[in-house]
Amino acid sequence: MSPFKGQTGLKRIVNAASYSLDGLRTAFKGEAAFRQLVLLNVVLVPLAFWLPVSRGERAILIAVCLLGLIVELLNSAVEAAIDRISLDRHPLSKNAKDMGSAAQLVAMSMVAVVWGVILLG
């Protein structure tokens, strides 16, 4: 059992929320790609409410936008962990970072495809 897992109940939930907000602040301050995706979401999410689409389509439009943010947070976490281990160039480190970047490419492609399919019908 990890010594960092000592809290239970409501205290654990409060701590987890605090750590999550810290992560969002860190990503926003330190990751330009995350800020760009937040800006994209600030445009696309309200647009999804304005478009004449069904509730299900609206939910999907919003979900794929949020998924892009989630993937970027995970990609940034992988990069931070790799950099924490070593700043030396290593083929495995490159692979991990490249795969995180590829995940983000797939997520953003999914945003484009879903929005395109729903809007172009």
Side-chain angles (χ1 to χ4, degrees):
M1 194 81 123
S2 170
F4 302 108
K5 299 281 185 180
Q7 301 297 328
T8 59
L10 186 58
K11 180 69 172 167
R12 186 194 67 76
I13 293 169
V14 170
N15 286 349
S18 175
Y19 302 145
S20 297
L21 291 174
D22 287 346
L24 288 170
R25 272 191 290 275
T26 299
F28 194 82
K29 287 181 189 176
E31 299 292 332
F34 184 76
R35 288 191 301 274
Q36 291 168 342
L37 286 173
V38 167
L39 179 60
L40 183 64
N41 275 263
V42 164
V43 172
L44 291 181
V45 170
L47 181 60
F49 284 100
W50 181 77
L51 292 169
V53 296
S54 71
R55 284 186 286 179
E57 290 171 328
R58 183 171 294 115
I60 292 169
L61 291 173
I62 293 168
V64 296
C65 289
L66 296 176
L67 183 62
L69 286 173
I70 292 167
V71 173
E72 182 56 37
L73 287 167
L74 293 171
N75 181 37
S76 296
V78 167
E79 289 184 356
I82 294 299
D83 290 347
R84 165 63 175 89
I85 293 166
S86 174
L87 293 175
D88 295 339
R89 292 184 184 265
H90 189 280
L92 293 176
S93 297
K94 181 182 182 328
N95 289 349
K97 288 183 171 191
D98 289 351
M99 285 185 256
S101 179
Q104 185 59 353
L105 175 65
V106 171
M108 295 314 298
S109 297
M110 185 172 66
V111 170
V113 167
V114 167
W115 276 75
V117 165
I118 289 175
L119 295 181
L120 301 176

